Amino acid sequence: MEKIGGKSVWQHLFSTVVIVAALGYFVDIYDLLLFGIVRIPSLIELGLDETAQSVEGASILNWQMSGLLLGGILWGILGDKKGRLSVLFGSIITYSIANFACGFVQDITLYKVLRFVAGVGLAGELGAGITLVSESLPKKLRGIGASVVAGVGLLGAVAAYFTVELFSWRYAYFTGGGLGILLLLLRIGVFESGMYTQIAEREQVRKGSFKSFFTNTRRLKLYARCIGIGLPTWYVIGILATFSNEFAKALGITEEVKPGLSVMWCYIGLATGDLLSGVLSYLLCSRKKAVMILMLFTLLGSIIYLYGGLANPTGIYLMCLWLGFGIGYWAMFVTIGAEQFGTNLRATAATTIPNMVRGTVVLMTTLYAALKPDILALNAAAVVGVICFSIGIYSVLTIPETHDRELNFIEQD
């Protein structure tokens, strides 16, 4: 077996850093999607009628997404100023406490506040984990390492779905908090990135400046393209899977289609695709080619999903699996964002970019809702998709390749 740096490939890929980052993302995804799964039963128990469930449910979700946007910036800056480990520990403490508290909630206002706090905590997990893995593994294995992290982590969505199916929604929140505390104990033995420690004491190096992405034209274009690559991923999750019940009705399907089940199948596909994307990048020696192949596969699936004449719930769920597999370049997309920027801005980039993409879901759903009365659900979703895929494909074609890039460099003002 090939050895890299005196270790086998398997020793690198199953190192403590990779395992702990993967388990951390597992808990992160579990908690991130949990409210969407428990929304109805939790709001019914809190005494809300159907109309209030819709209004307050959307409000709580917006509070959580706002927390993700704010947390992405805060944790990213902290990761570059104080180290990657500070984020891995701080973020999980934050969202574990918030999830425990959600299990006791009796009031809608408090529910919103706690999901906001949970969103802040959840924002830091993936970016810090991918940054630490990218800086710890040999450059040939960075893509595969990131895929292992995301592939294992995204199975947290499946765990969340079945936990809610088998137990009460309060127990599901307690489980999320408990998993976080267990993960915290596992992280005690993880070491800081060597690349970061080299610049940590260099006061002349400006670290963790979010403003730096907007004061330099080159960095701004790179940053925008990194975000653009991720748009199709949350178009699939936030539109096609989330509103699968509406598309089923538009297609004339009379049997019930459960959006929660659609999202679960989407994430099963996503976990599988994430594992493949790293291997594909490794074999092609290109991040861009791997992402483009999967993005075009997703585009084809989206067309079939909306206009292929699906006739039953099984068809919807299978297409969600297809689409999830296609957007399995999620880990590669975050890795590309981390590799574009120097060590002094890497955590800020890797943490804010995916959360910026998550934040665009609000724009996507708003546009979808505005178009739907005039051109109907299927066509409204198609218009949003054309915008997302156009930006995504352009971004992949024009962003620099980073497969063999050395990461031990800093960004100059």
Side-chain angles (χ1 to χ4, degrees), residues 225 228-229 288-289 291-292 295-296 389-401:
R225 287 167 184 163
I229 292 172
K288 294 175 60 172
K289 290 178 182 178
V291 169
M292 182 61 77
M295 191 179 292
L296 293 177
F389 280 103
S390 297
I391 295 173
I393 292 170
Y394 170 79
S395 298
V396 175
L397 291 174
T398 56
I399 204 166
E401 178 63 70

Side-chain angles (χ1 to χ4, degrees), residues 66-90:
S66 298
L68 282 166
L69 286 172
L70 177 61
I73 298 172
L74 293 178
W75 292 119
I77 293 172
L78 184 64
D80 280 326
K81 288 185 177 295
K82 300 297 182 182
R84 292 34 171 153
L85 290 184
S86 64
V87 176
L88 289 178
F89 282 99

Side-chain angles (χ1 to χ4, degrees), residues 274-342:
D274 257 319
L275 292 172
L276 174 72
S277 66
V279 175
L280 194 59
S281 171
Y282 178 81
L283 294 175
L284 297 174
C285 297
S286 171
R287 304 274 190 261
K288 294 175 60 172
K289 290 178 182 178
V291 169
M292 182 61 77
I293 289 171
L294 289 172
M295 191 179 292
L296 293 177
F297 182 80
T298 309
L299 175 58
L300 175 61
S302 300
I303 295 171
I304 296 173
Y305 181 90
L306 294 173
Y307 298 112
L310 301 179
N312 52 56
T314 300
I316 295 286
Y317 297 140
L318 286 175
M319 286 310 303
C320 285
L321 182 66
W322 171 324
L323 293 167
F325 182 85
I327 59 171
Y329 66 84
W330 174 254
M332 196 59 56
F333 140 73
V334 180
T335 303
I336 289 171
E339 292 172 338
Q340 294 292 341
F341 302 97

Side-chain angles (χ1 to χ4, degrees), residues 396-409:
V396 175
L397 291 174
T398 56
I399 204 166
E401 178 63 70
T402 58
H403 176 76
D404 286 323
R405 175 173 291 182
E406 294 290 347
L407 298 187
N408 198 10
F409 67 98

Side-chain angles (χ1 to χ4, degrees), residues 231 234-235 239 360-361 363-369 371 375 378-391:
L231 293 182
W234 274 86
Y235 164 70
I239 299 292
T360 62
V361 174
L363 300 177
M364 295 181 200
T365 55
T366 301
L367 179 59
Y368 168 70
L371 293 173
I375 61 175
L378 296 177
N379 295 328
V383 171
V384 178
V386 167
I387 296 171
C388 291
F389 280 103
S390 297
I391 295 173

Side-chain angles (χ1 to χ4, degrees), residues 59-273:
S59 178
I60 293 171
L61 186 60
N62 286 338
W63 275 82
Q64 178 176 298
M65 297 306 293
S66 298
L68 282 166
L69 286 172
L70 177 61
I73 298 172
L74 293 178
W75 292 119
I77 293 172
L78 184 64
D80 280 326
K81 288 185 177 295
K82 300 297 182 182
R84 292 34 171 153
L85 290 184
S86 64
V87 176
L88 289 178
F89 282 99
S91 65
I92 201 163
I93 290 172
T94 303
Y95 68 70
S96 294
I97 292 173
N99 275 292
F100 266 126
C102 282
F104 294 102
V105 73
Q106 301 290 338
D107 174 76
I108 290 298
T109 301
L110 181 59
Y111 206 175
K112 294 177 183 179
V113 172
L114 291 176
R115 291 321 296 165
F116 174 82
V117 174
V120 171
L122 292 166
E125 187 70 39
L126 178 61
I130 292 294
T131 301
L132 189 56
V133 167
S134 296
E135 293 178 343
S136 301
L137 291 182
K139 63 182 180 181
K140 290 180 65 175
L141 299 178
R142 290 197 305 254
I144 298 179
S147 291
V148 170
V149 171
V152 173
L154 289 165
L155 291 175
V158 181
Y161 177 82
F162 282 108
T163 301
V164 176
E165 285 289 303
L166 296 172
F167 306 102
S168 72
W169 66 273
R170 294 186 186 276
Y171 180 85
Y173 276 127
F174 295 148
T175 300
L179 289 173
I181 298 303
L182 289 175
L183 182 64
L184 198 61
L185 298 176
L186 287 177
R187 284 189 170 154
I188 292 174
V190 179
F191 294 97
E192 182 60 87
S193 159
M195 290 185 191
Y196 177 78
T197 56
Q198 291 178 19
I199 70 164
E201 303 301 325
R202 294 169 60 181
E203 295 183 1
Q204 72 275 19
V205 176
R206 191 174 186 181
K207 298 181 282 291
S209 172
F210 182 62
K211 185 174 67 174
S212 295
F213 294 116
F214 304 95
T215 57
N216 179 286
T217 302
R218 178 191 66 84
R219 279 198 292 267
L220 178 59
K221 289 180 179 179
L222 277 178
Y223 191 70
R225 287 167 184 163
C226 288
I227 294 171
I229 292 172
L231 293 182
T233 63
W234 274 86
Y235 164 70
V236 167
I237 298 168
I239 299 292
L240 299 186
T242 300
F243 296 101
S244 57
N245 57 327
E246 295 186 8
F247 302 128
K249 291 179 181 178
L251 290 166
I253 298 173
T254 56
E255 300 97 322
E256 181 187 12
V257 170
K258 298 180 180 180
L261 195 55
S262 298
V263 171
M264 188 200 76
W265 281 113
C266 184
Y267 269 87
I268 290 175
L270 214 166
T272 307

